[in-house]
């Protein structure tokens, strides 16, 4: 893929998002699709109540449009592109239903965990079946070692775990203005570059379309946010990020590229486990970004530190892929 092609994809997705957002945000506000805020959360967040949510629709439409337009233009539309869009849109629909229940019934809980899990499993299996129509490698490589483990048909279990795990990890991270939009744009850009290393221009197409759309969305999502992505956006992004790592055969590398999401998830697991076993909390609040807020960090400081962390680990991963 040429540099001009990459820039065209990025600019197209960015532009569509920036054009759609000023139309969609007032519409979401008129529909009273406002965010509910947890009473037990940081008190500084209470002022965010009512901010339009479900904004993930904005960048999802931009990603789909960009993929269809530039994919056709540059002849990059393939089965793998379809699989990526299936996961992105499928997980986005689950998030949309979850958000919809929250805003309609004015509560902070939407679909049950089981309902979301069933939907995610169905989409993951459908993606696996589409991949198996071609010659899909079911081995999982151990980064930078040359070793791999072939799961065979059991790869579907790994795929379900990977997609469900990271979609929920990104969802947990989505608690501060611009946090997920920034960290996810960095992660997708990194995998876009890795896809180019592998000469997988079709995968790079979607990765850079998502990057461009998220950068456009970030304009409206940084503090103070004019719109939140909601589960519509975060579940879609997490599923798509995991799926891209699968398609470029760098599944475990996602643990490094997505280190911020991993840490956020581990903080919740440790907090819950500690409280159940010892009746003591490790953090002031989990996910860990709230711990830093309650420790006196401003929201901007937390977000900038997490963005920086995401950028550093993404650069390390890309350089190691390039030179090892």
């Amino acid at each position: 893929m040429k540099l001009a092609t990459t820039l065209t994809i990025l600019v197209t997705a960015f532009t569509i998002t920036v054009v759609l957002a000023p139309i969609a945000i007032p519409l979401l506000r008129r529909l009273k699709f406002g965010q509910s805020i947890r009473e037990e959360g940081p008190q500084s967040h209470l002022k965010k109540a009512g901010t339009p949510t479900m904004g993930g629709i904005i960048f999802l439409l931009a990603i789909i449009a960009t993929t269809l337009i530039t994919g056709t233009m540059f002849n990059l539309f393939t089965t793998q592109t379809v699989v990526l869009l299936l996961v992105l849109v499928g997980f986005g629909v689950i998030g949309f239903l979850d958000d919809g229940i929250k805003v309609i019934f004015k509560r902070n809980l939407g679909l049950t965990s089981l309902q979301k899990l069933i939907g995610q499993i169905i989409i993951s299996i459908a993606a696996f079946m589409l991949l198996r129509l071609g010659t899909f490698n079911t081995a999982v490589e151990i980064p930078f070692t040359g070793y791999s483990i072939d799961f065979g048909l059991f790869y579907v279990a790994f795929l379900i775990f990977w997609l469900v795990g990271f979609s929920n990890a990104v969802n947990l991270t989505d608690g501060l203005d611009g946090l997920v939009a920034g960290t996810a744009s960095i992660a997708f850009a990194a995998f876009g570059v890795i896809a180019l290393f592998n000469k997988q221009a079709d995968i790079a197409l979607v990765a850079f379309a998502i990057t461009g759309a998220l950068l456009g969305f970030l304009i409206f999502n940084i503090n103070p946010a004019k719109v939140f992505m909601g589960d519509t956006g975060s579940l879609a992004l997490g599923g798509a990020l995991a799926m891209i790592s699968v398609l470029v055969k760098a599944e475990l590398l996602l643990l490094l590229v997505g280190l911020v999401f991993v840490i956020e998830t581990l903080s919740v697991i440790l907090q819950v486990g500690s409280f159940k076993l010892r009746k003591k909390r490790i953090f002031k609040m989990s996910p860990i970004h709230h711990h830093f807020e309650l420790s006196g960090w401003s929201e901007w400081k937390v977000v900038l530190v997490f963005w920086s962390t995401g950028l550093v680990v993404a650069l390390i991963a890309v350089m190691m892929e390039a030179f090892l």
Side-chain angles (χ1 to χ4, degrees):
M1 181 185 288
K2 297 180 180 178
L3 178 60
T5 304
T6 301
L7 290 175
T8 299
I9 295 166
L10 286 167
V11 171
T12 300
F14 179 88
T15 303
I16 294 174
T17 304
V18 170
V19 169
L20 282 178
I23 300 170
I25 293 172
L27 177 60
L28 290 171
R29 187 174 289 112
R30 283 198 299 272
L31 292 172
K32 301 186 185 303
F33 284 1
Q35 178 70 40
S36 298
I37 304 297
R38 289 190 305 167
E39 292 182 2
E40 66 272 21
Q43 294 300 301
S44 60
H45 287 211
L46 294 178
K47 62 185 178 183
K48 300 182 182 186
T51 301
T53 187
M54 302 175 76
I57 297 171
I58 299 168
F59 59 75
L60 287 179
L61 290 174
I63 294 164
I64 294 168
T66 300
T67 302
L68 293 175
I69 294 169
T70 57
T72 303
M73 184 187 304
F74 300 113
N75 196 29
L76 296 174
F77 207 78
T78 65
T79 300
Q80 294 192 113
T81 313
V82 172
V83 170
L84 264 176
L85 289 180
L86 168 67
V87 172
L88 180 78
V89 175
F91 278 56
V93 168
I94 293 172
F96 179 83
L97 294 173
D98 192 38
D99 286 333
I101 292 172
K102 292 175 185 176
V103 298
I104 291 171
F105 295 101
K106 304 298 179 185
R107 65 191 194 194
N108 200 48
L109 298 175
L111 294 174
T112 65
S113 298
L114 179 59
Q115 288 170 332
K116 284 190 281 189
L117 178 62
I118 291 172
Q120 291 168 324
I121 289 175
I122 291 172
I123 294 165
S124 300
I125 293 174
F128 180 75
M129 291 175 66
L130 279 174
L131 290 174
R132 291 289 291 180
L133 293 176
T135 54
F136 177 68
N137 180 7
T138 55
V140 174
E141 296 184 8
I142 301 173
F144 322 123
T145 66
Y147 294 101
S148 63
I149 303 172
D150 193 348
F151 282 76
L153 287 176
F154 291 104
Y155 189 91
V156 67
F158 171 82
L159 184 65
I160 291 169
F161 170 77
W162 210 236
L163 267 60
V164 172
F166 267 92
S167 65
N168 289 304
V170 174
N171 182 243
L172 286 172
T173 307
D174 186 29
L176 300 179
D177 296 356
L179 179 55
V180 163
T183 49
S185 62
I186 293 168
F188 279 105
F191 273 111
V193 173
I194 292 170
L196 291 181
F197 288 160
N198 295 344
K199 302 188 185 306
Q200 293 175 290
D202 53 343
I203 306 303
L205 159 67
V206 182
F208 289 130
I210 296 174
T211 302
L214 285 177
L215 291 175
F217 183 75
L218 196 55
I219 295 173
F220 306 91
N221 186 234
I222 55 174
N223 187 271
K226 297 180 180 65
V227 64
F228 299 138
M229 67 173 65
D231 289 1
T232 305
S234 59
L235 289 180
L237 292 175
L241 186 60
M243 195 70 237
I244 286 180
S245 75
V246 165
L247 294 175
V248 299
K249 299 313 298 175
E251 294 96 332
L252 299 184
L253 190 64
L254 180 55
L255 296 174
L256 178 59
V257 176
L259 183 62
V260 169
F261 307 126
V262 174
I263 291 173
E264 292 271 30
T265 305
L266 286 176
S267 73
V268 173
I269 294 172
L270 290 172
Q271 184 86 323
V272 172
S274 177
F275 188 75
K276 286 188 174 182
L277 293 174
R278 307 186 304 142
K279 303 301 179 185
K280 294 181 180 180
R281 291 182 172 85
I282 299 173
F283 308 105
K284 294 181 179 181
M285 183 177 289
S286 65
I288 199 169
H289 56 256
H290 289 319
H291 170 81
F292 289 115
E293 275 193 291
L294 295 177
S295 297
W297 288 25
S298 69
E299 185 167 346
W300 260 115
K301 181 177 180 179
V302 178
V303 170
L304 288 174
V305 168
F306 280 43
W307 282 357
S308 300
T309 302
L311 179 60
V312 169
V313 294
L315 288 173
I316 291 172
V318 169
M319 287 189 292
M320 291 180 77
E321 277 289 300
F323 298 113
L324 294 181

